[in-house]
Amino acid sequence: MNEHQDQEGNESKKIEQSKRVPLIPSAANIPTNNEENTPTNDFSSFQPPSKEFVANISAPFYSYFTPRFLGLDNIDNSRPYFFVGYHTLLSITDIFYVTELLLKRDIMLRPLADSFHFKVPGWHQFWEKMGMVKASRENCSALMTAGENVLVFPGGAREAFKRKNEQYKVNWQNRSGFAYMAIEHNYPIIPLASVGLEDAMDILYDADDMMNTWLGRFLRYTGIAKYIRDGEELPPIVKGLGWTLLPRPERLYLSFGEPIDVSEFAGKADDKAAQMAVREKVERSVKKQIDTLLKYRANDVENMGWLRRWFLKN
């Protein structure tokens, strides 16, 4: 084998490894401005964390929330997918999608995350080790070209930082960037849904409450409000067990929907109507899954052990 063939073989192994064998932060919609479009990762050199490491760091969360998963059979390990999800409150438990796929299906997800996460020292280094990539069309395109399994939450911070009346509400506004990427690269979409966390915490004050007080007036007067999109990226004040921030130990239910084929829209990535048609299919699937999970939970006889009942009463 000559040197050129040997290099090609090594690159092929790296790409194949990145498809297999990640706690996720808030993954945002795919931005289009120049600053966000600058690629930030050498995707071919990424080395996934070991399954043992991920199992160890996620074990306490699995023990506490005892998550139950539906729809894993919808995923074919022989090809990559675009996983598109609904943000739970504060995106605290979105990690389970990636850890479960790694531990049970040997699939590594590459979450696309808001640029905010890359501005926090220490935080972004850890998440980059876990596969996180700054959200941009260029980065998403590079991941898909490499055959990676990509994860995005179109609702971004606005969906994660919910208002009091938004329990289990999908809030993607008018965003369709993920649909553009799926059509452009002919990536089938796996819609994701989850219930449980939003029953484990109560919102005391949401962004609307805070922006209508002296704090909101101060933020607008000083110009700080523009950095949090006039309150859109202001997290709610919540409580869990008692008056602590620890979520109540509600069992979590997460699902992987049936793949949505986008090949019928081939060549129409720039067509807004095609983007919205794909987006509506995905959103409809997510909402249906949420309803299914709520019904499933209501009939889950193993949902309430004595310890969970004791915690939830106190």
Side-chain angles (χ1 to χ4, degrees), residues 29-271:
N29 190 43
I30 302 170
T32 57
N33 61 68
N34 292 332
E35 178 183 357
E36 296 300 319
N37 283 343
T38 304
T40 58
N41 291 61
D42 180 3
F43 305 119
S44 64
S45 65
F46 174 71
Q47 295 296 319
S50 70
K51 292 176 70 173
E52 180 181 10
F53 172 74
V54 174
N56 288 337
I57 64 171
S58 62
F61 299 96
Y62 274 78
S63 297
Y64 192 76
F65 291 109
T66 60
R68 182 155 289 178
F69 298 86
L70 283 69
L72 278 170
D73 291 341
N74 289 325
I75 302 167
D76 178 2
N77 279 49
S78 68
R79 66 151 307 144
Y81 294 96
F82 198 9
F83 292 81
V84 179
Y86 149 81
H87 260 324
T88 56
L89 177 62
L90 298 176
S91 68
I92 291 174
T93 58
D94 295 338
I95 135 181
F96 286 109
Y97 297 118
V98 285
T99 56
E100 188 70 7
L101 283 180
L102 169 61
L103 298 175
K104 297 294 178 61
R105 297 299 300 271
D106 200 31
I107 294 174
M108 167 86 189
L109 291 187
R110 302 300 300 275
L112 296 173
D114 191 278
S115 59
F116 164 79
H117 298 282
F118 296 86
K119 299 175 182 177
V120 182
W123 175 263
H124 79 87
Q125 286 91 343
F126 172 77
W127 287 116
E128 285 179 342
K129 180 181 179 181
M130 298 298 291
M132 185 177 76
V133 177
K134 185 182 292 186
S136 73
R137 287 191 175 181
E138 278 70 16
N139 285 343
C140 184
S141 182
L143 287 168
M144 289 180 167
T145 299
E148 298 267 13
N149 286 282
V150 184
L151 170 65
V152 69
F153 293 85
R158 176 59 185 85
E159 187 173 64
F161 297 162
K162 300 182 184 298
R163 307 318 191 237
K164 293 175 183 175
N165 62 343
E166 293 179 348
Q167 186 182 52
Y168 301 126
K169 179 181 178 181
V170 178
N171 188 354
W172 293 352
Q173 301 174 66
N174 196 40
R175 296 172 176 175
S176 60
F178 74 89
Y180 170 92
M181 297 307 305
I183 297 171
E184 180 73 9
H185 292 270
N186 192 28
Y187 250 59
I189 297 172
I190 298 283
L192 307 174
S194 172
V195 303
L197 193 279
E198 289 172 37
D199 293 293
M201 305 190 82
D202 301 317
I203 297 176
L204 300 178
Y205 298 98
D206 61 28
D208 290 342
D209 294 329
M210 289 182 274
M211 292 303 290
N212 287 327
T213 66
W214 64 268
L215 174 61
R217 292 192 293 273
F218 171 78
L219 293 175
R220 290 190 176 104
Y221 178 77
T222 58
I224 297 175
K226 69 179 181 181
Y227 296 105
I228 54 173
R229 300 179 189 175
D230 201 35
E232 181 176 312
E233 296 186 356
L234 193 62
I237 297 175
V238 301
K239 75 178 186 70
L241 275 177
W243 287 93
T244 75
L245 296 177
L246 181 67
R248 295 184 289 274
E250 289 276 354
R251 166 166 274 175
L252 303 183
Y253 297 82
L254 303 95
S255 63
F256 299 85
E258 295 183 2
I260 294 176
D261 183 17
V262 299
S263 60
E264 65 179 290
F265 301 103
K268 298 182 179 179
D270 290 315
D271 185 339

Side-chain angles (χ1 to χ4, degrees), residues 179 260 264-265 271-282 284:
I260 294 176
E264 65 179 290
F265 301 103
D271 185 339
K272 188 66 174 180
Q275 294 175 22
M276 295 306 293
V278 170
R279 179 209 137 115
E280 287 170 11
K281 285 186 178 182
V282 179
R284 195 160 52 241

